[in-house]
Amino acid sequence: MRQRPRGDSRGILDPGRMLREVRFRRHLPAEPLRPWVEHYWLIDWALHTPFEQRVVPHPAVNVVFRRDGDGDGSGSGDGAASGEVAGVGRDLFRTTLTGTGRVCGVQFRPGGFHPFWQRPVSELTGRRVPLPTGRLASPGIGVCAGTDEERCKALDALLSAWEPTPDPMAEEATRLAEAIRTDRTVLRVGDFAARHDVPVRRLQRLFLEYVGVGPKWVIRRYRLQEAVEQAAGGPLSWADLAADLGYSDQAHLVRDFTAVAGVSPAAYARSVR
């Protein structure tokens, strides 16, 4: 069982600037929730000028609570937090923060939201919907108030009250998605399916039902996030990187990168340096 949350900045465009503008941190949930939940992510801000954050989304569902106008930024205000379920985002996510406020987010592991949702997760792909009524306590109670520990405990209580049902199929989807994330040699659906002795069609149905997107999309998204991370790290050969990540050529990588990140790899690399 994991002892600390993930420490990388994968998917976050220009993470250095984000860390200068806002307070961002991750925390693990209570241990019984860890089979389903990757981590909690908390953001607090007190800005003099608007700040736009851009993120290349993970193949994961997020539950997000946000409260704007936090007064002195202490989190002691009485304003209610709005809550929503954010399905897997196919496109670049953009949000503009102004003034003061707080966000408390839950990033589920790929496949981990299905035991809470109990319907095809693909229903949520590309959508942001209000929290289902009657399934969670009021999101305005304590979720965005208090210390990090208090906020995490409130999230633990909310998710536990949702009474997730263990599902072996969800566990399999999570395990396979994790294998794609951690093994950069995974480049083709057919090869991956054969390696894990899963028919391709069954793998596709499993991912659509439990992750929300197909395995080809998951492979390409994780490899593209690697490209974003490497682009910010220093000079590199785009042709070599394209080959390493399974693209047919450099132009294919540039098209994918530009379509998702909104700028070319070279332009992004210049902007963050």
Side-chain angles (χ1 to χ4, degrees), residues 83-120:
E84 66 178 10
V85 178
V88 176
R90 292 185 177 274
D91 302 317
L92 182 68
F93 171 74
R94 298 173 181 263
T95 186
T96 299
L97 306 178
T98 60
T100 59
R102 288 185 155 200
V103 167
C104 297
V106 181
Q107 182 173 311
F108 289 83
R109 302 178 72 188
F113 190 63
H114 192 281
F116 296 80
W117 184 247
Q118 297 178 10
R119 296 204 300 275

XYZ file of all heavy atoms in Angstrom, residues 83-120:
294
model
N -19.864 21.541 -5.668
C -19.233 20.257 -5.939
C -19.681 19.682 -7.265
O -20.838 19.833 -7.670
N -18.748 19.028 -7.968
C -19.079 18.412 -9.248
C -18.223 17.182 -9.487
O -17.169 16.998 -8.861
C -18.885 19.406 -10.391
C -17.445 19.820 -10.612
C -17.280 20.769 -11.795
O -18.300 21.249 -12.326
O -16.123 21.020 -12.188
N -18.706 16.346 -10.398
C -17.943 15.201 -10.871
C -17.406 15.565 -12.253
O -18.180 15.937 -13.145
C -18.812 13.932 -10.963
C -17.986 12.767 -11.508
C -19.402 13.582 -9.602
N -16.090 15.465 -12.421
C -15.458 15.759 -13.703
C -15.005 14.448 -14.325
O -14.109 13.778 -13.785
C -14.272 16.696 -13.515
N -15.641 14.059 -15.431
C -15.233 12.850 -16.130
C -13.886 13.029 -16.810
O -13.303 14.118 -16.794
N -13.375 11.961 -17.400
C -12.102 12.040 -18.106
C -12.196 13.116 -19.184
O -13.119 13.121 -19.999
C -11.749 10.684 -18.748
C -10.463 10.798 -19.571
C -11.601 9.615 -17.679
N -11.259 14.043 -19.161
C -11.261 15.131 -20.140
C -10.418 14.778 -21.345
O -9.229 14.468 -21.208
N -10.998 14.840 -22.520
C -10.244 14.548 -23.739
C -9.401 15.738 -24.186
O -8.382 15.570 -24.856
C -11.200 14.151 -24.861
C -11.910 12.820 -24.638
C -12.746 12.459 -25.847
N -13.392 11.167 -25.712
C -12.827 10.000 -26.022
N -11.587 9.978 -26.462
N -13.487 8.871 -25.881
N -9.831 16.938 -23.831
C -9.165 18.153 -24.289
C -8.415 18.814 -23.149
O -8.553 18.441 -21.979
C -10.197 19.137 -24.862
C -10.993 18.532 -26.003
O -10.378 17.871 -26.853
O -12.229 18.712 -26.028
N -7.609 19.806 -23.491
C -6.876 20.571 -22.493
C -7.856 21.216 -21.514
O -8.834 21.841 -21.922
C -6.049 21.655 -23.181
C -5.172 22.532 -22.275
C -4.034 21.704 -21.675
C -4.613 23.707 -23.066
N -7.582 21.068 -20.213
C -8.422 21.700 -19.199
C -7.826 23.063 -18.841
O -6.628 23.174 -18.565
C -8.507 20.830 -17.948
C -9.185 21.509 -16.783
C -10.557 21.679 -16.774
C -8.433 22.007 -15.725
C -11.182 22.314 -15.716
C -9.054 22.648 -14.663
C -10.430 22.800 -14.657
N -8.669 24.086 -18.842
C -8.249 25.434 -18.476
C -9.162 25.956 -17.372
O -10.380 25.771 -17.429
C -8.350 26.398 -19.666
C -7.477 26.055 -20.867
C -7.807 26.973 -22.024
N -7.032 26.693 -23.215
C -5.924 27.335 -23.559
N -5.476 28.315 -22.794
N -5.277 27.023 -24.662
N -8.572 26.612 -16.399
C -9.375 27.294 -15.390
C -8.658 28.577 -14.994
O -7.425 28.612 -14.919
C -9.608 26.410 -14.148
O -10.519 27.064 -13.255
C -8.314 26.107 -13.404
N -9.421 29.642 -14.779
C -8.859 30.925 -14.371
C -9.254 31.217 -12.932
O -10.440 31.214 -12.599
C -9.339 32.059 -15.301
O -8.912 31.787 -16.637
C -8.765 33.396 -14.855
N -8.259 31.447 -12.098
C -8.474 31.752 -10.693
C -8.302 33.246 -10.483
O -7.387 33.862 -11.037
C -7.484 30.986 -9.814
C -7.430 29.465 -10.012
C -6.365 28.846 -9.101
C -8.795 28.838 -9.746
N -9.174 33.825 -9.676
C -9.092 35.247 -9.343
C -9.343 35.426 -7.855
O -9.974 34.572 -7.210
C -10.129 36.073 -10.129
O -11.456 35.594 -9.797
C -9.921 35.946 -11.630
N -8.873 36.535 -7.313
C -9.156 36.850 -5.913
C -8.629 35.774 -4.979
O -7.471 35.367 -5.054
N -9.496 35.312 -4.091
C -9.119 34.282 -3.131
C -10.073 33.100 -3.255
O -11.206 33.246 -3.723
C -9.165 34.807 -1.692
O -10.498 35.270 -1.415
C -8.186 35.956 -1.487
N -9.611 31.952 -2.811
C -10.476 30.782 -2.850
C -9.736 29.515 -2.516
O -8.532 29.519 -2.244
N -10.481 28.430 -2.571
C -9.946 27.105 -2.250
C -10.592 26.055 -3.140
O -11.763 26.180 -3.498
C -10.246 26.732 -0.797
C -9.440 27.499 0.235
C -9.719 26.991 1.635
N -8.593 27.272 2.505
C -8.331 26.659 3.645
N -9.130 25.689 4.063
N -7.282 26.961 4.361
N -9.808 25.029 -3.461
C -10.319 23.850 -4.153
C -9.876 22.621 -3.387
O -8.724 22.544 -2.932
C -9.805 23.775 -5.609
C -10.089 22.393 -6.202
C -10.457 24.843 -6.471
N -10.787 21.678 -3.222
C -10.473 20.362 -2.679
C -10.888 19.339 -3.724
O -12.077 19.250 -4.059
C -11.224 20.099 -1.376
S -10.803 21.222 -0.036
N -9.927 18.599 -4.250
C -10.222 17.646 -5.300
C -9.886 16.223 -4.903
O -8.996 15.977 -4.090
N -10.605 15.300 -5.495
C -10.350 13.873 -5.331
C -10.017 13.320 -6.709
O -10.873 13.343 -7.596
C -11.579 13.126 -4.772
C -11.263 11.643 -4.584
C -12.066 13.756 -3.482
N -8.786 12.868 -6.909
C -8.461 12.201 -8.171
C -8.552 10.697 -7.947
O -7.809 10.128 -7.153
C -7.071 12.557 -8.677
C -6.770 11.884 -10.024
C -5.470 12.333 -10.636
O -5.196 13.524 -10.728
N -4.658 11.384 -11.063
N -9.492 10.063 -8.650
C -9.645 8.620 -8.551
C -8.611 7.936 -9.432
O -8.121 8.506 -10.406
C -11.055 8.215 -8.972
C -12.103 8.615 -7.980
C -12.635 9.904 -7.992
C -12.554 7.732 -7.017
C -13.586 10.287 -7.067
C -13.510 8.105 -6.081
C -14.029 9.389 -6.107
N -8.273 6.732 -9.100
C -7.430 5.931 -9.975
C -8.255 5.545 -11.203
O -9.488 5.423 -11.106
C -6.940 4.689 -9.231
C -6.172 5.025 -7.958
C -5.756 3.775 -7.222
N -4.689 3.077 -7.933
C -4.234 1.878 -7.586
N -4.769 1.223 -6.554
N -3.254 1.313 -8.280
N -7.623 5.374 -12.366
C -8.396 4.910 -13.525
C -9.132 3.615 -13.177
O -8.524 2.654 -12.699
C -7.311 4.676 -14.581
C -6.214 5.612 -14.190
C -6.208 5.629 -12.695
N -10.432 3.612 -13.378
C -11.258 2.476 -12.972
C -11.788 2.583 -11.566
O -12.715 1.865 -11.181
N -11.231 3.504 -10.766
C -11.588 3.578 -9.357
C -12.900 4.263 -9.052
O -13.424 4.121 -7.945
N -13.449 4.996 -10.016
C -14.704 5.689 -9.732
C -15.919 4.794 -9.952
O -16.988 5.060 -9.401
C -14.823 6.954 -10.593
C -15.975 7.840 -10.198
C -16.019 8.425 -8.954
C -17.020 8.078 -11.080
C -17.086 9.241 -8.573
C -18.082 8.898 -10.728
C -18.117 9.478 -9.467
N -15.765 3.737 -10.734
C -16.913 2.892 -11.058
C -17.596 2.327 -9.821
O -18.841 2.307 -9.759
C -16.490 1.767 -11.995
C -17.632 1.012 -12.610
N -18.335 0.033 -11.923
C -18.211 1.098 -13.841
C -19.279 -0.450 -12.709
N -19.229 0.180 -13.873
N -16.879 1.855 -8.782
C -17.574 1.348 -7.599
C -18.434 2.399 -6.888
O -19.360 2.046 -6.162
C -16.425 0.884 -6.698
C -15.337 0.523 -7.653
C -15.440 1.578 -8.718
N -18.134 3.680 -7.087
C -18.954 4.753 -6.524
C -20.108 5.090 -7.463
O -21.217 5.378 -7.019
C -18.098 6.012 -6.297
C -16.998 5.839 -5.287
C -15.808 5.207 -5.640
C -17.137 6.323 -3.999
C -14.786 5.054 -4.718
C -16.110 6.184 -3.070
C -14.942 5.539 -3.426
N -19.841 5.075 -8.749
C -20.798 5.509 -9.762
C -21.768 4.393 -10.129
O -22.949 4.617 -10.356
C -20.015 5.984 -10.977
C -20.779 6.561 -12.113
C -20.918 6.033 -13.365
C -21.490 7.797 -12.140
N -21.661 6.865 -14.161
C -22.031 7.961 -13.430
C -21.723 8.795 -11.189
C -22.782 9.074 -13.792
C -22.464 9.902 -11.555
C -22.991 10.033 -12.836
N -21.224 3.166 -10.266
C -22.015 1.963 -10.558
C -22.769 2.054 -11.888
O -23.840 1.467 -12.044
C -22.966 1.659 -9.392
C -22.219 1.352 -8.102
C -23.126 1.094 -6.925
O -24.330 0.952 -7.074
N -22.549 1.041 -5.739
N -22.194 2.804 -12.816
C -22.696 2.870 -14.193
C -21.482 3.017 -15.105
O -20.382 3.285 -14.622
C -23.643 4.069 -14.377
C -24.912 3.994 -13.540
C -26.033 4.835 -14.164
N -25.711 6.233 -14.295
C -25.879 7.149 -13.325
N -26.337 6.779 -12.151
N -25.587 8.412 -13.541
N -21.644 2.866 -16.405
C -20.487 3.051 -17.288
C -19.846 4.425 -17.093
O -20.518 5.457 -17.189
C -21.085 2.902 -18.688
C -22.287 2.040 -18.493
C -22.857 2.444 -17.163
